[in-house]
């Protein structure tokens, strides 16, 4: 079922980026996520990094992957808001957890954190505006 008519019918802030812009941003972020998360998971599997450091990366990955099905499949704005708050929180947790081991991995998350911060405010705004 096409999600576009539903999404277009929602009340959104005037500063909402176009879907194409959102897609472009994710096309830039996903390679950064792939490389940095992959590195963390490989280091954890090789026992060069404690699994507790990799834990927020795993939680973030799951939360990120389920956002779209929650938002556009279930069309559940409140649950999508909770999910994106988990994504945002785990990015900060990831950066703190990995900092003393691999600073480049923490710094690589900065663009992801910036975008998810904007997306979180957007999601919370859309949710409140459509209650």
């Amino acid at each position: 079922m096409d999600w576009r008519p539903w999404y277009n019918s929602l009340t959104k802030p005037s500063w909402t980026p176009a879907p194409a812009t959102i897609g472009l941003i994710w096309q830039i972020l996903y390679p950064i996520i792939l490389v940095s998360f992959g590195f963390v998971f490989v280091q954890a599997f090789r026992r060069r990094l404690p699994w507790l450091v990799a834990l927020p990366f795993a939680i973030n990955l799951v939360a990120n992957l389920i956002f779209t099905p929650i938002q556009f499949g279930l069309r559940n704005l409140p649950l999508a808001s909770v999910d994106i708050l988990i994504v945002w929180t785990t990015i900060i947790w990831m950066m703190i957890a990995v900092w003393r081991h691999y600073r480049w991995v923490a710094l690589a998350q900065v663009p992801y954190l910036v975008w998810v911060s904007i997306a979180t405010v957007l999601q919370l705004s859309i949710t409140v505006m459509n209650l």
Side-chain angles (χ1 to χ4, degrees):
M1 197 163 168
D2 191 9
W3 57 268
R4 285 175 287 230
W6 169 78
Y7 183 75
N8 290 336
S9 74
L10 295 173
T11 304
K12 294 182 270 318
S14 60
W15 53 270
T16 302
T21 302
I22 295 169
L24 176 62
I25 291 167
W26 282 111
Q27 286 179 348
I28 294 165
L29 291 176
Y30 280 138
I32 296 168
I33 291 168
L34 176 68
V35 170
S36 61
F37 282 43
F39 178 82
V40 166
F41 294 136
V42 166
Q43 296 310 310
F45 278 114
R46 291 181 175 171
R47 299 179 192 263
R48 293 183 183 154
L49 192 63
W51 275 106
L52 283 177
V53 173
L55 179 62
F57 287 84
I59 295 169
N60 180 276
L61 184 60
V62 171
N64 187 328
L65 290 173
I66 66 173
F67 177 82
T68 298
I70 292 170
Q71 173 84 338
F72 299 106
L74 297 176
R75 299 178 185 181
N76 188 324
L77 295 174
L79 186 57
S81 292
V82 170
D83 182 75
I84 201 164
L85 285 167
I86 293 168
V87 172
W88 183 80
T89 303
T90 55
I91 295 170
I92 295 168
W93 181 16
M94 293 175 344
M95 293 172 76
I96 293 167
V98 79
W99 179 259
R100 71 183 191 103
H101 302 280
Y102 298 103
R103 286 195 171 116
W104 74 267
V105 174
L107 294 172
Q109 305 316 306
V110 170
Y112 185 29
L113 177 62
V114 169
W115 172 245
V116 172
S117 296
I118 294 166
T120 299
V121 172
L122 177 62
Q123 179 63 39
L124 295 174
S125 299
I126 291 171
T127 300
V128 169
M129 294 172 84
N130 290 279
L131 288 178

